[in-house]
């Protein structure tokens, strides 16, 4: 399989190169040249299959030419060996025709593990084959960082730098990152927002001499491998329900929900994709008002979604413009300059044919946690709650509604306490973490300083 850039100025490249590069050299995002196709019979056969086998079937269409079937099978098995649920992504009913797709049973208790565990396995195999080394710089709104550290900490020939917005992630999220004892893990608490961290990562990539010198790589959802691995649960959930579903997706960087668009372009019948945002509602405004415009970033109860610039939206724009790379490049350039993009009518109508969007504030988030607890006895996390709040705004749906449950509630005990008066029980994965020493550097929001910090640590 060959991959192209949304901005049309990078040459076609292989899966391995996409994996190791993250961002395309023209600043665009990689997408497959053509989406692999699955027939209704192939999809129906996923019902009851092991998650790992479905993941292998889907990923092998992307990895062909870069990894053998044997290598991919081994990587997928290793990736999911440390999950707490044998189904990996179990579907549980919370109301009549309403379900949670539980994506938080991996090592760091968020859905980020599902893709990053695969990415880590493929990464170490790819580096071993080419004999190279890599420097990963990840901006995290809280969960990508710990998942990347769990997947890549301790691996040879890789340095991992994780930047989180200082004071804007939960204590549990911070400790999951800063208590890693691996020498190749470097935590930066950035005096800024997630968007600041993400824009520094993009600047480092744009500095191509530096990026080449340290073999810079991204494991944020700008890396297409994340999207490929996340398509899988849209297939398994639909196969299990035996009918098309409306998926409600708590959204920040638009990666998880774009994986739903990818699944649909690969032949999966998806009834609708519902974007659920918190008060950082850029995506809800883009869909509903037709103007994609960054606002100021608000700190909310669902910090992993405190994002104004949704990087993966570029992929959806490229698709909705019928692969018009020149327009996509110009549009993203305009947005970078003015922080605003008016969506042309044909693009907007294509997006609206697939997506709806609802924003919910902290009050509604707490109310959703409380309501689900009252009605089912389950405790959900505040990101899942933003999804449940959106699901309740859809009105009557002719298709089953599946809310992606993106994190374990124990990562956000304060939000849960505010909603139901008591924190959630602590799972074994988190026990004892409070007693471990934390390792992090606090740095100001200055790309030059961050670059120096990375250079000195890589050299060491
Ligand atoms: C990252 C994250 C999201 C948002 O996912 P995107 O792919 O960035 O849209 C939602 N919930 C949780 C718990 C997350 O960690």
């Amino acid at each position: 399989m060959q991959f192209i850039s949304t901005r049309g100025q990078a040459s076609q490249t292989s899966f391995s190169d996409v994996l190791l590069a993250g961002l395309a050299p023209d600043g665009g995002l990689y997408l497959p040249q053509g989406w692999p196709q699955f027939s209704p019979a192939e999809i129906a056969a996923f019902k009851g299959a092991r998650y790992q086998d479905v993941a292998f079937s889907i990923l092998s269409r992307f990895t062909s030419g870069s990894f053998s079937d044997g290598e991919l099978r081994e990587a997928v098995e290793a990736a999911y060996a440390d999950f707490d649920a044998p189904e990996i992504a179990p579907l549980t009913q919370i109301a009549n025709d309403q379900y949670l797709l539980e994506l938080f049973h991996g090592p760091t208790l968020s859905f980020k593990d599902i893709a990053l565990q695969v990415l880590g396995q493929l990464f170490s195999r790819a580096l071993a084959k080419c004999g190279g080394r890599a420097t990963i710089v990840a901006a995290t709104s809280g969960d990508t960082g710990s998942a990347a550290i769990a997947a890549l900490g301790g691996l040879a020939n890789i340095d991992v730098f994780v930047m989180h917005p200082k004071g804007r992630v939960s204590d549990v999220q911070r400790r999951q990152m800063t208590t890693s004892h691996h020498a190749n893990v470097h935590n930066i608490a950035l005096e800024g927002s997630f968007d600041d961290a993400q824009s520094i990562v993009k600047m480092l990539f744009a500095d191509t001499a530096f990026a080449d010198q340290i073999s810079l790589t991204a494991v944020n959802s700008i890396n297409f491998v994340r999207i490929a691995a996340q398509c899988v649960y849209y297939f398994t959930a639909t196969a299990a329900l035996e009918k098309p579903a409306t998926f409600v997706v708590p959204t920040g960087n638009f990666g998880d929900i774009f994986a739903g668009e990818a699944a649909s372009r690969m032949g999966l019948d998806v009834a609708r994709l519902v974007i659920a945002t918190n008060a950082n509602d850029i995506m809800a405004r883009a869909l509903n008002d037709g103007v994609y415009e960054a606002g100021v970033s608000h700190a909310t109860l669902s910090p992993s979604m405190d994002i104004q610039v949704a990087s993966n939206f570029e992929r959806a724009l490229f698709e909705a413009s019928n692969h018009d790379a020149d327009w996509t490049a110009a549009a993203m350039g305009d947005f970078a300059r003015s922080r605003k993009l008016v969506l042309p009518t044909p693009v907007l109508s294509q997006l609206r044919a697939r997506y709806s969007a609802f924003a919910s504030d902290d009050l509604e988030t707490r109310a959703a946690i409380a309501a689900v607890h009252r009605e089912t006895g389950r405790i959900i996390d505040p990101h899942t709650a933003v999804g449940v709040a959106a699901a309740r705004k859809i009105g009557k749906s002719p298709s089953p509604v599946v809310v992606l449950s993106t994190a374990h509630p124990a990562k956000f005990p304060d939000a849960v306490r505010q909603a139901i008066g008591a924190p959630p029980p602590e799972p074994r994965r988190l026990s004892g973490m409070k007693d471990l020493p934390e390792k992090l550097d606090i740095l100001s929001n200055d790309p030059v300083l961050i670059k120096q910090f990375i250079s000195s640590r890589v050299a060491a």
Side-chain angles (χ1 to χ4, degrees):
M1 160 87 50
Q2 289 287 301
F3 294 81
I4 54 171
S5 163
T6 49
R7 300 196 190 175
Q9 299 297 313
S11 41
Q12 278 181 28
T13 191
S14 68
F15 180 86
S16 283
D17 287 341
V18 169
L19 168 73
L20 294 175
L23 195 66
D26 60 358
L29 274 59
Y30 283 119
L31 280 172
Q33 194 178 31
W35 291 102
Q37 293 299 310
F38 288 85
S39 68
E42 285 174 300
I43 294 168
F46 290 155
K47 186 180 170 70
R50 283 177 76 234
Y51 187 91
Q52 291 87 332
D53 293 341
V54 179
F56 171 80
S57 298
I58 292 170
L59 287 167
S60 64
R61 305 283 183 95
F62 294 108
T63 57
S64 62
S66 291
F67 290 95
S68 70
D69 282 0
E71 287 167 329
L72 179 63
R73 266 199 195 282
E74 231 180 70
V76 168
E77 292 298 334
Y80 297 119
D82 187 28
F83 274 59
D84 285 329
E87 312 92 314
I88 309 301
L91 198 59
T92 52
Q93 192 159 13
I94 53 166
N96 186 27
D97 246 14
Q98 220 180 77
Y99 301 81
L100 293 180
L101 180 56
E102 296 181 6
L103 303 174
F104 52 75
H105 294 287
T108 68
L109 307 174
S110 86
F111 84 91
K112 304 291 201 298
D113 289 321
I114 293 190
L116 278 161
Q117 283 292 322
V118 172
L119 189 141
Q121 291 294 331
L122 293 176
F123 222 90
S124 58
R125 284 169 175 77
L127 283 183
K129 278 205 249 188
C130 73
R133 56 163 300 113
T135 305
I136 285 154
V137 181
T140 183
S141 55
D143 293 321
T144 291
S146 57
I149 289 167
L152 302 161
L155 292 184
N157 303 321
I158 299 181
D159 274 294
V160 186
F161 292 84
V162 174
M163 258 190 285
H164 71 265
K166 180 171 177 285
R168 297 273 294 260
V169 301
S170 79
D171 284 354
V172 176
Q173 286 180 309
R174 190 193 66 251
R175 285 204 177 90
Q176 283 183 302
M177 299 187 272
T178 58
T179 58
S180 166
H181 59 273
H182 293 297
N184 70 332
V185 170
H186 315 277
N187 278 290
I188 298 169
L190 187 77
E191 292 181 311
S193 66
F194 169 79
D195 293 301
D196 294 328
Q198 182 158 260
S199 98
I200 289 176
V201 173
K202 286 186 181 163
M203 274 186 239
L204 294 174
F205 269 98
D207 185 345
T208 47
F210 178 67
D212 286 348
Q213 182 204 331
I214 62 168
S215 303
L216 183 63
T217 299
V219 298
N220 285 94
S221 53
I222 56 179
N223 192 313
F224 181 77
V225 180
R226 291 264 308 260
I227 308 293
Q230 288 169 214
C231 296
V232 175
Y233 40 76
Y234 288 92
F235 282 92
T236 57
T238 305
L241 292 168
E242 296 182 306
K243 51 183 149 175
T246 291
F247 288 97
V248 182
V249 188
T251 297
N253 227 345
F254 209 74
D256 208 12
I257 196 161
F258 182 77
E261 173 171 344
S264 131
R265 292 190 180 276
M266 288 157 72
L268 184 71
D269 198 351
V270 173
R272 203 143 183 89
L273 292 167
V274 178
I275 300 164
T277 75
N278 61 26
N280 297 286
D281 60 351
I282 178 167
M283 284 312 312
R285 285 184 284 109
L287 255 283
N288 296 330
D289 308 340
V291 183
Y292 179 63
E293 183 173 20
V296 286
S297 157
H298 301 282
T300 72
L301 288 178
S302 45
S304 305
M305 292 154 46
D306 289 350
I307 295 177
Q308 284 292 333
V309 179
S311 292
N312 276 283
F313 190 41
E314 177 166 348
R315 289 191 162 108
L317 289 174
F318 178 75
E319 292 287 351
S321 69
N322 302 319
H323 294 195
D324 188 340
D326 292 340
W327 175 77
T328 307
M332 295 323 293
D334 284 350
F335 178 75
R337 275 184 297 278
S338 63
R339 312 271 290 167
K340 178 173 173 176
L341 175 67
V342 178
L343 300 172
T345 309
V347 169
L348 186 59
S349 50
Q350 280 226 30
L351 291 169
R352 284 179 174 164
R354 185 181 298 279
Y355 294 104
S356 312
F358 299 97
S360 303
D361 61 17
D362 280 353
L363 207 68
E364 293 169 300
T365 304
R366 280 192 292 263
I369 297 173
V372 170
H373 187 242
R374 200 167 55 237
E375 290 159 20
T376 70
R378 273 172 171 279
I379 301 176
I380 57 170
D381 98 286
H383 304 78
T384 306
V386 169
V388 169
R392 294 185 175 187
K393 293 174 185 173
I394 298 174
K396 205 165 162 42
S397 165
S399 51
V401 174
V402 175
V403 177
L404 272 56
S405 183
T406 50
H408 191 290
K411 295 190 88 160
F412 307 95
D414 292 338
V416 170
R417 193 185 298 108
Q418 286 180 32
I420 62 170
E426 188 178 77
R428 94 183 144 83
R429 304 253 195 209
L430 299 178
S431 66
M433 206 176 61
K434 276 197 199 66
D435 308 321
L436 297 174
E438 294 191 57
K439 205 176 76 180
L440 83 170
D441 285 271
I442 300 169
L443 298 181
S444 60
N445 179 17
D446 173 358
V448 176
L449 196 79
I450 303 288
K451 182 177 160 181
Q452 280 166 358
F453 178 86
I454 293 170
S455 287
S456 66
R457 298 293 168 109
V458 168

